[in-house]
Amino acid sequence: DYSLFIVSRYRDELARGRSIDEAIGRALGTAGTAVSFAALTVIIALVGLTVVNIPLLTEMGIAAAFAVGIAALIALTLLPALLRFTGLRIFSRRQRRLGFIQAEARRKHRHPAASLLRIGAGIIGLGAVALPLTDLQLGLPDDGTASEATTQRKAYDLLSQGFGPGFNGPLMVVLDLEQAGNPEEAVNQFVASTQGMPNIAAVSPPTILPDNRTAILSVIPTTAPTSGDTEALVSDIRSTADGFEEQTGAGLYVTGKTAVAIDVSTTLGDALIPYLAVVVGLSLILLT
């Protein structure tokens, strides 16, 4: 995109009757400046993902920022050299033979009002397309969002129909029994406490490690992994951790793919305002 932007301006300058060298210079001085600003803004936005404090996003952002920097560097250095070799051959033979260059210049600048109307129509169209964003629900995708033609989605739907939607997103509950006075009683108390919680379809029998220090249970929600009710269930179970530890001495932790996805989404939501502040602030400084 950066290179095409500069090439487009280069063609426009040639169409105005500029020499090849002058057209390259003007293209870099106008479109090239815009490319520099655009690339630096994107780099700021990508590197700004470090604010979210999720290592995977930080690594992805830095790698993508590096790729954007290379693309901009090529557009601002290698591309002008290639344009110098290309010269007027940036136009087709037919265009050069028919005197396309001057005609193109006259066509582009004959009806500026029409260009403004097209831009306005485009903005209105984008606004209409963006209306569904008002009902956007943030979260990480799972097999339930895959195409209905994929085997993953078919398996997801079959499991939901046969065992309930929550079967696709079980919660893993880990009990740390090292400080528990009575490990078995602590496990039984947790199982009993889940009986009164809403949105729980089933709780698997506990798996206790041979050293009696850790117990693992699977909690099956009644709702889908991406449902708000499932998120509320994770929060409800975690809210009992302090009281459970006071009563039994055992630590209570909720993990698993579904819980991790909820945690990531929550972290992203909490970091949205600081992230926007950093990106917009640095972009304004850059623009100034």
Side-chain angles (χ1 to χ4, degrees):
D1 288 346
Y2 295 156
S3 296
L4 288 174
F5 187 38
I6 294 175
V7 168
S8 176
R9 185 55 190 259
Y10 171 68
R11 287 167 57 96
D12 186 65
E13 292 297 333
L14 287 179
R16 293 169 181 261
R18 313 284 188 193
S19 67
I20 293 175
D21 290 339
E22 187 177 4
I24 293 174
R26 287 179 175 269
L28 286 179
T30 52
T33 302
V35 165
S36 300
F37 174 74
L40 289 173
T41 303
V42 174
I43 289 172
I44 288 173
L46 291 170
V47 175
L49 289 173
T50 55
V51 174
V52 181
N53 200 28
I54 296 178
L56 177 62
L57 284 181
T58 299
E59 295 167 3
M60 291 174 60
I62 293 176
F66 179 77
V68 171
I70 293 298
L73 189 62
I74 290 174
L76 296 172
T77 57
L78 178 61
L79 177 64
L82 295 177
L83 290 178
R84 183 63 181 83
F85 283 111
T86 303
L88 294 179
R89 292 191 299 275
I90 198 73
F91 297 107
S92 68
R93 291 181 179 178
R94 180 174 179 274
Q95 289 170 339
R96 296 198 302 272
R97 185 172 63 251
L98 296 179
F100 172 85
I101 297 176
Q102 296 298 332
E104 176 72 1
R106 290 192 297 270
R107 184 188 68 80
K108 281 189 176 183
H109 303 285
R110 185 181 302 162
H111 302 293
S115 298
L116 290 177
L117 288 176
R118 285 195 294 269
I119 293 173
I123 293 174
I124 294 173
L126 287 175
V129 172
L131 284 178
L133 291 177
T134 57
D135 295 324
L136 181 66
Q137 293 181 349
L138 299 180
L140 298 181
D142 58 14
D143 291 340
T145 60
S147 170
E148 295 182 357
T150 62
T151 57
Q152 296 93 324
R153 177 62 182 275
K154 292 177 181 178
Y156 182 95
D157 292 340
L158 287 172
L159 289 174
S160 297
Q161 295 168 8
F163 301 97
F167 192 83
N168 285 293
L171 306 177
M172 179 184 293
V173 176
V174 179
L175 301 179
D176 182 1
L177 305 174
E178 189 170 1
Q179 302 298 326
N182 188 332
E184 185 176 352
E185 178 62 25
V187 174
N188 292 335
Q189 182 171 335
F190 170 76
V191 175
S193 68
T194 61
Q195 302 301 319
M197 287 187 178
N199 301 325
I200 293 182
V203 179
S204 70
T207 299
I208 303 178
L209 299 187
D211 57 8
N212 284 333
R213 292 183 175 181
T214 307
I216 300 175
L217 305 93
S218 289
V219 176
I220 309 297
T222 59
T223 50
T226 56
S227 170
D229 292 334
T230 302
E231 182 177 351
L233 176 60
V234 173
S235 179
D236 290 342
I237 296 176
R238 287 173 171 169
S239 66
T240 65
D242 292 339
F244 182 78
E245 186 172 4
E246 289 179 1
Q247 296 176 12
T248 65
L252 190 159
Y253 309 95
V254 182
T255 184
K257 182 179 178 180
T258 300
V260 169
I262 292 173
D263 291 342
V264 171
S265 297
T266 302
T267 302
L268 290 174
D270 293 341
L272 182 60
I273 299 302
Y275 171 75
L276 290 178
V278 169
V279 172
V280 173
L282 292 178
S283 297
L284 286 174
I285 292 174
L286 175 63
L287 179 60
T288 302

